[in-house]
Amino acid sequence: MARFSLRYALPDAVGQGKLLPHLLLLYVCTVVFQIAFHTYDSLWRYAESREYLSLLMAAFWGFCVYEIISRAVIRSVMSFVLLTAIASVWVLGMLLMRFTYRVYRNQVMHRRGSHRLPVAIIGAGAAGVQLLGELQSNADSRYQVQCFFDDDRSKVGKRIHGVEVKGTIRDIPTRLRAMDIRQIIVAIPSISEERRHEILKELSGLDRVKVKVSVLPSTMDLIEQKPIGAQLRDIQIEDLLGREPVRLDSKPVDGYLEGKVVMVTGGGGSIGSELCRQIAKHRPKQLVIVDIYENNAYDIQQELLYIYKNKLDLAVEIASIRDGERVRQLFAHYRPDVVFHAAAHKHVPLMEQSPQEAVRNNVFGTLNLVRAADEYGVGKFIQISTDKAVNPTSVMGATKRLCEMILQSMRGRSKTTFAAVRFGNVLGSNGSVVPLFKRQIAAGGPVTITDKRIIRYFMTIPEAAQLVLQAGAMAKQNELYVLDMGQPVKILDLAENLIRLSGYVPYRDIQIVETGLRPGEKLYEELLVASRDIEKTENDQIFVERQPGITPEELRDKLAVLAAALDQNNPGIIRETLHQVVPTFHEPEDVNPERGEEVKAPEVAVEKAVGVACGSAAQ
């Protein structure tokens, strides 16, 4: 019977000792198509359906070409039954080898994974599944994925690569208490900032569970060529603001920066350096960075040279804006078309101790720049101001209010368009509270806040820079611009959420200590002074406040009184004089609520300004 079967399986040409050439031809044809389909280039530990389909297609075409050659050239063929049997064994052998390798590797990874950090992934969509695959296949991964959570109820109870979808996001608090989860990864890059904030708020309520939270960046920030697992980041304070990032139209900015000489004072600082980065994108004729601190100026210089090389004409000048002659020298040499003035002393408590330095640098330094801008025909001069200039309670705030007055006094007297831009606290800037909180958490605490009632408006450094550039495009008649920064944030809530999302429990793992208000510190900040002359601009997020002007004579008298006080070099006299020349300057105790009283957001806020502006328009 065996002979009978073999005789039918092997035709005479093949059966007469010519089976080996047929097998060699079949092997060569298959290998050629394996190479053509790049199956040998695949990393089979990461293989998915596409790789296995390529393997099958290569085998299919290899056998087809063999059949053609064997009939046309050798003029003898194997029977269809034998060819099919060889093909099946061949394909199954290749698949078995690769499956065996993957099973072996997964077993090794599983044994190694016993020492990994148990994590849960929020989001069983494409990004979450891709992240799971990378973490499972990476031998050096620190994470062992235990489960998914997803709001799609049709996925609950299902398994993805062996990992179960335990429940919805609302189920996390109850589910985690029964599991040994040490970290949660939010892997939904396409969600809105509001929804991300809601999820993080839900996670920050896990008071009795020590879980650290990491997130994937938004879809816009994901880098396509970079593994998704390598783009995980810790919680940033922007994630807790609960609003979409401010994104402004760049076209109007191109109109007044492209092909122009642009100067940035304080260009090495946190705001100034970001201004330089964004200005460089608008193809200026020349970018001039002016700063007194050479290290910061050098850092931003090297960064921009690395990115733009010889495509950006970049100049860096080390100079103090206090030196009027040096300022005039720079303006005469570079003849800037646009100036962004970010150089200033900004640290509130330090300026309380050294008011003379705040006055010399902030007030008279700005005066030097304004005079030079007028003398050398600068097109636009944009001053970086602060919400602390509104009804100031600090020397720093009072000096910045005086800077706004200096710009206002130039209205109608100069061909230069002067404008000021006010915004609140900038996240991540030098002296910001957030980097301090992170350092304190990393050190094991305590986290220190001056008063648990403090509320602040926040924005990111890129948002602040965008606002300044946009205001420069809008500026026409010495306006004062303000950004709608949403709802103010309570600093205590900020500290507690940051502690929880860093994997600790507030007041148990890390204490929050109240140290008392610092000199000049106010419990709340305002964005607008009490004025009814508030208007909306073409951008819904930017408002302009038109304040009563100040005459050059009034300003000259104020500055003369202040200069005389400065000559005495007495901090007390300088502070009294600031009260005299800035009528809205008050002591903190005059405006801060008494101890134990609740602090509410000031009534004069941007949201109310919309109503005021609309009401004025209706009249």
Side-chain angles (χ1 to χ4, degrees):
M1 182 67 70
R3 290 179 182 176
F4 179 82
S5 300
L6 184 61
R7 184 160 56 89
Y8 280 93
L10 300 175
D12 291 341
V14 177
Q16 297 172 359
K18 294 185 179 180
L19 178 60
L20 182 59
H22 280 270
L23 292 177
L24 288 175
L25 176 61
L26 180 60
Y27 174 76
V28 170
C29 291
T30 307
V31 168
V32 167
F33 278 95
Q34 296 284 350
I35 294 172
F37 280 83
H38 302 285
T39 61
Y40 294 119
D41 297 338
S42 299
L43 287 174
W44 287 93
R45 58 184 172 180
Y46 302 121
E48 298 295 343
S49 57
R50 181 183 301 175
E51 283 75 19
Y52 289 108
L53 182 60
S54 297
L55 188 68
L56 293 174
M57 290 299 295
F60 171 78
W61 284 108
F63 283 106
C64 287
V65 170
Y66 157 77
E67 185 74 12
I68 294 172
I69 293 176
S70 64
R71 288 181 181 275
V73 179
I74 303 177
R75 296 185 181 279
S76 64
V77 295
M78 286 183 284
S79 72
F80 180 77
V81 174
L82 180 59
L83 183 61
T84 302
I86 293 174
S88 300
V89 172
W90 186 288
V91 171
L92 288 174
M94 288 190 296
L95 292 175
L96 183 61
M97 288 174 58
R98 287 160 173 81
F99 274 123
T100 302
Y101 169 72
R102 292 196 66 172
V103 170
Y104 167 76
R105 194 172 187 280
N106 288 339
Q107 289 297 322
V108 173
M109 297 280 292
H110 180 73
R111 287 195 293 270
R112 292 181 181 178
S114 59
H115 302 292
R116 293 181 179 181
L117 194 68
V119 303
I121 296 178
I122 294 180
V129 174
Q130 182 182 345
L131 176 62
L132 171 65
E134 290 183 8
L135 297 181
Q136 286 182 333
S137 60
N138 186 355
D140 298 323
S141 173
R142 299 184 298 111
Y143 305 113
Q144 180 70 33
V145 180
Q146 300 290 327
C147 63
F148 277 101
F149 289 96
D150 196 287
D151 277 340
D152 186 350
R153 293 188 177 277
S154 65
K155 297 178 181 178
V156 176
K158 304 294 193 300
R159 288 184 174 271
I160 302 173
H161 299 327
V163 177
E164 184 181 359
V165 181
K166 285 286 187 181
T168 66
I169 296 173
R170 289 186 176 275
D171 298 329
I172 291 177
T174 56
R175 292 281 188 176
L176 284 190
R177 292 187 177 92
M179 302 176 65
D180 184 27
I181 297 295
R182 303 292 181 82
Q183 185 161 344
I184 295 177
I185 300 173
V186 181
I188 320 176
S190 60
I191 58 173
S192 66
E193 290 298 325
E194 286 88 353
R195 180 56 182 152
R196 187 193 300 271
H197 176 69
E198 290 173 4
I199 293 173
L200 294 177
K201 187 176 180 180
E202 190 87 24
L203 298 179
S204 68
L206 304 173
D207 288 326
R208 295 183 294 278
V209 182
K210 292 180 62 173
V211 178
K212 183 179 180 180
V213 180
S214 299
V215 298
L216 279 178
S218 66
T219 304
M220 295 182 61
D221 297 327
L222 279 175
I223 304 172
E224 291 184 4
Q225 295 80 9
K226 192 174 181 181
I228 197 167
Q231 301 186 59
L232 288 176
R233 61 170 174 79
D234 290 338
I235 289 296
Q236 297 173 353
I237 207 64
E238 299 95 295
D239 299 316
L240 304 177
L241 292 184
R243 61 172 171 82
E244 292 284 352
V246 175
R247 302 188 187 279
L248 305 176
D249 185 8
S250 62
K251 292 182 181 179
V253 178
D254 285 334
Y256 81 104
L257 292 185
E258 187 173 357
K260 301 295 178 62
V261 178
V262 183
M263 178 181 287
V264 181
T265 71
S270 51
I271 297 296
S273 61
E274 181 62 24
L275 278 172
C276 292
R277 292 183 191 97
Q278 297 197 24
I279 290 168
K281 297 176 182 178
H282 295 279
R283 301 174 297 279
K285 178 181 179 181
Q286 185 179 36
L287 175 59
V288 183
I289 299 175
V290 180
D291 205 297
I292 188 61
Y293 185 43
E294 67 274 19
N295 289 351
N296 283 349
Y298 176 79
D299 287 343
I300 186 62
Q301 177 194 44
Q302 295 306 304
E303 178 185 334
L304 294 176
L305 288 176
Y306 178 78
I307 296 172
Y308 295 96
K309 297 178 174 58
N310 59 353
K311 295 181 181 179
L312 175 65
D313 186 355
L314 180 65
V316 176
E317 295 285 353
I318 304 303
S320 171
I321 60 173
R322 298 180 180 191
D323 187 343
E325 187 57 36
R326 173 69 169 142
V327 168
R328 292 185 70 257
Q329 181 187 46
L330 292 177
F331 275 69
H333 178 71
Y334 290 105
R335 297 282 177 166
D337 300 296
V338 182
V339 174
F340 294 95
H341 175 33
H345 286 320
K346 306 179 182 73
H347 199 280
V348 171
L350 293 182
M351 293 307 100
E352 292 300 299
Q353 299 174 16
S354 305
Q356 59 271 47
E357 298 303 312
V359 171
R360 289 192 182 100
N361 194 71
N362 294 359
V363 178
F364 290 101
T366 298
L367 183 64
N368 289 334
L369 290 167
V370 168
R371 286 174 173 172
D374 177 49
E375 180 179 354
Y376 291 97
V378 172
K380 289 188 176 183
F381 183 102
I382 312 300
Q383 156 83 29
I384 310 300
S385 193
T386 170
D387 57 358
K388 293 176 176 59
V390 186
N391 299 322
T393 60
S394 64
V395 168
M396 191 280 283
T399 58
K400 296 296 280 186
R401 178 67 190 116
L402 263 176
C403 292
E404 294 176 354
M405 293 180 184
I406 291 173
L407 267 61
Q408 289 172 339
S409 72
M410 300 299 293
R411 185 172 185 178
R413 300 178 49 231
S414 174
K415 295 181 179 179
T416 300
T417 298
F418 294 92
V421 186
R422 276 190 198 149
F423 45 78
N425 296 269
V426 180
L427 298 169
S429 65
N430 297 330
S432 171
V433 69
V434 175
L436 173 63
F437 283 173
K438 290 185 175 179
R439 289 194 299 270
Q440 291 173 337
I441 292 170
V447 169
T448 58
I449 61 176
T450 57
D451 193 297
K452 294 182 178 180
R453 299 172 294 165
I454 285 183
I455 55 177
R456 291 288 185 267
Y457 292 96
F458 283 102
M459 69 188 311
T460 66
I461 293 176
E463 285 178 325
Q466 286 184 67
L467 169 64
V468 173
L469 296 182
Q470 192 80 11
M474 295 179 178
K476 296 177 181 178
Q477 299 178 357
N478 292 50
E479 298 92 346
L480 176 59
Y481 291 96
V482 183
L483 177 68
D484 179 356
M485 299 181 66
Q487 294 299 319
V489 178
K490 197 171 183 180
I491 298 297
L492 177 61
D493 293 341
L494 202 63
E496 290 176 343
N497 289 337
L498 205 54
I499 291 171
R500 291 190 188 102
L501 296 172
S502 298
Y504 302 99
V505 178
Y507 309 108
R508 189 185 76 186
D509 301 321
I510 293 182
Q511 297 297 317
I512 299 178
V513 177
E514 196 173 17
T515 59
L517 289 174
R518 299 172 299 176
E521 191 169 24
K522 189 161 52 172
L523 286 174
Y524 60 88
E525 300 293 354
E526 301 164 82
L527 290 174
L528 303 173
V529 296
S531 169
R532 295 188 61 84
D533 196 9
I534 301 171
E535 299 177 6
K536 298 176 72 173
T537 66
E538 57 266 31
N539 189 300
D540 290 338
Q541 294 172 309
I542 301 178
F543 298 83
V544 59
E545 180 185 11
R546 302 189 187 279
Q547 297 180 341
I550 180 172
T551 66
E553 293 74 24
E554 289 175 321
L555 180 68
R556 185 176 60 247
D557 293 342
K558 289 177 181 292
L559 294 181
V561 173
L562 192 58
L566 199 59
D567 289 339
Q568 300 183 50
N569 204 28
N570 185 311
I573 294 176
I574 293 173
R575 189 178 185 87
E576 290 177 6
T577 306
L578 280 173
H579 278 284
Q580 178 182 342
V581 299
V582 182
T584 56
F585 182 20
H586 304 283
E587 292 299 321
E589 51 269 24
D590 295 336
V591 297
N592 285 333
E594 294 292 331
R595 190 72 181 172
E597 291 184 14
E598 183 181 354
V599 177
K600 297 181 180 180
E603 291 185 0
V604 185
V606 176
E607 290 80 10
K608 186 173 180 179
V610 178
V612 172
C614 293
S616 299
Q619 294 174 359

